[in-house]
Amino acid sequence: MDYRGRFAPSPTGPLHAGSLVAALASWLDARAHGGQWLVRIEDVDLPRCPPGTDTLILEQLARCSLVPDEPPSWQSRRSALYEAALARLLAAGQAYGCACTRRQIAARAGPRARNGELVYPGTCRAGTQGREPRAWRLRTDNELLRWTDRRLGPQSQRVEDEVGDFVLLRADGLWAYQLAVVVDDAEQDITDVVRGEDLADNTPRQIRLQAALGLPTPRYLHTPLVLGENGEKLSKQNGAQALDLTDPAAALGRAAEALGLSVSGNTVGDVLASAVLAWPNASWTKA
Ligand code: GLU
């Protein structure tokens, strides 16, 4: 089987314990399948990415012997691909310009909000009424999308109803995560997306966008989240500590434990080798 996986960190800060879990899981799944593992730096939101953080993340991965099989890629260098994808969607009538400000969306969206995000009320679907477009959105529909997550099982969503027409190119001129990730996963022939459960909710939007662009849908596996001492998910936004890599083998051991793997060894090589053996028996893996 031609397996290609990836780890796709946003370099808004160095890796923390939670991101190491996602990195390790995607690496282990690639190794267990005899496949390739890629690293893609998701720096489309360049103003939020402090210079040098990309290099730091690659160094942190290297300290853990998580070395990609191909040179890493940077989304900030791939805008031409996103541009071409948006042009195709516009030409096919699948995307449209939107002139609404946040305030206008809030005024019309009413109570239709989800995870703090307003459901776009479709105001500009039929045109911007002579107003200048600010952002570009995908035209969604209410088909019940179904997919199976390798850990979370059968999932479904009606994207139009639950999320609404979502943004592809933002009003500040930056590419939206959804478009960049879908274009890159396809362009890099990714067969398996393994990432933290906090991102699971993006999957239906990505599947919808893949369909609109005629791209294949990879398999998805969302890994358990690492919670901090306060019970909240670890994230750069809520101040998670950068990974302590004074003892990378121990850090990898803790990441493996968060994935429910029992591993042994005192060196990075031994911990990784024992994690590769343990991976196929992870609790969510169906025989
Ligand atoms: N760049 C995203 C993040 O760091 C992950 C994207 C993905 O794995 O699809 O949160």
Side-chain angles (χ1 to χ4, degrees):
M1 184 176 87
D2 286 334
Y3 177 112
R4 282 168 68 84
R6 85 313 192 263
F7 174 55
S10 301
T12 51
L15 297 184
H16 55 71
S19 31
L20 182 64
V21 172
L24 177 63
S26 61
W27 183 89
L28 285 172
D29 201 47
R31 284 295 163 271
H33 286 88
Q36 304 284 302
W37 183 70
L38 278 57
V39 172
R40 183 171 72 226
I41 304 289
E42 300 215 318
D43 57 350
V44 270
D45 198 347
L46 212 50
R48 286 185 55 231
C49 302
T53 311
D54 50 355
T55 317
L56 185 60
I57 289 176
L58 294 171
E59 282 166 9
Q60 288 179 305
L61 291 171
R63 293 254 309 150
C64 296
S65 291
L66 301 178
V67 179
D69 297 309
E70 292 177 7
S73 55
W74 276 259
Q75 286 190 326
S76 57
R77 302 174 193 169
R78 296 167 67 86
S79 333
L81 291 169
Y82 314 143
E83 197 94 53
L86 179 60
R88 274 172 55 204
L89 292 169
L90 285 168
Q94 301 245 40
Y96 62 90
C98 169
C100 299
T101 60
R102 279 197 75 78
R103 183 188 294 203
Q104 288 164 338
I105 296 171
R108 276 188 155 237
R112 298 182 70 210
R114 181 165 177 275
N115 301 336
E117 290 285 328
L118 295 170
V119 174
Y120 182 64
T123 320
C124 293
R125 269 189 168 190
T128 58
Q129 318 291 335
R131 296 179 299 157
E132 197 59 35
R134 311 169 73 235
W136 271 260
R137 292 181 182 274
L138 184 77
R139 195 182 296 279
T140 58
D141 58 43
N142 250 341
E143 184 197 334
L144 184 66
L145 274 189
R146 293 173 193 276
W147 71 102
T148 301
D149 184 279
R150 290 169 54 200
R151 172 171 155 261
L152 303 172
Q155 311 281 311
S156 65
Q157 187 183 80
R158 294 187 196 276
V159 179
E160 182 184 355
D161 218 38
E162 294 188 42
V163 183
D165 294 349
F166 55 90
V167 171
L168 304 170
L169 178 58
R170 295 164 25 170
D172 57 9
L174 297 176
W175 294 103
Y177 157 66
Q178 308 295 353
L179 181 70
V181 83
V182 162
V183 168
D184 284 345
D185 282 339
E187 201 274 334
Q188 297 183 312
D189 295 324
I190 298 301
T191 59
D192 288 78
V193 171
V194 178
R195 59 186 176 193
E197 194 178 330
D198 53 327
L199 292 162
D201 189 44
N202 293 288
T203 309
R205 269 169 282 175
Q206 293 171 12
I207 293 176
R208 181 63 188 76
L209 190 45
Q210 286 150 5
L213 285 164
L215 300 173
T217 292
R219 282 179 293 266
Y220 288 95
L221 166 57
H222 288 90
T223 57
L225 287 187
V226 179
L227 301 181
E229 280 163 17
N230 55 6
E232 274 186 29
K233 106 176 162 81
L234 283 186
S235 77
K236 292 161 204 160
Q237 284 74 24
N238 55 35
Q241 301 274 318
L243 201 55
D244 176 4
L245 284 177
T246 41
D247 183 353
L252 280 170
R254 286 190 294 272
E257 207 175 292
L259 290 164
L261 307 174
S262 60
V263 294
S264 57
N266 295 320
T267 65
V268 165
D270 286 351
V271 172
L272 287 178
S274 103
V276 170
L277 293 178
W279 180 254
N281 302 317
S283 57
W284 59 79
T285 311
K286 323 263 178 309

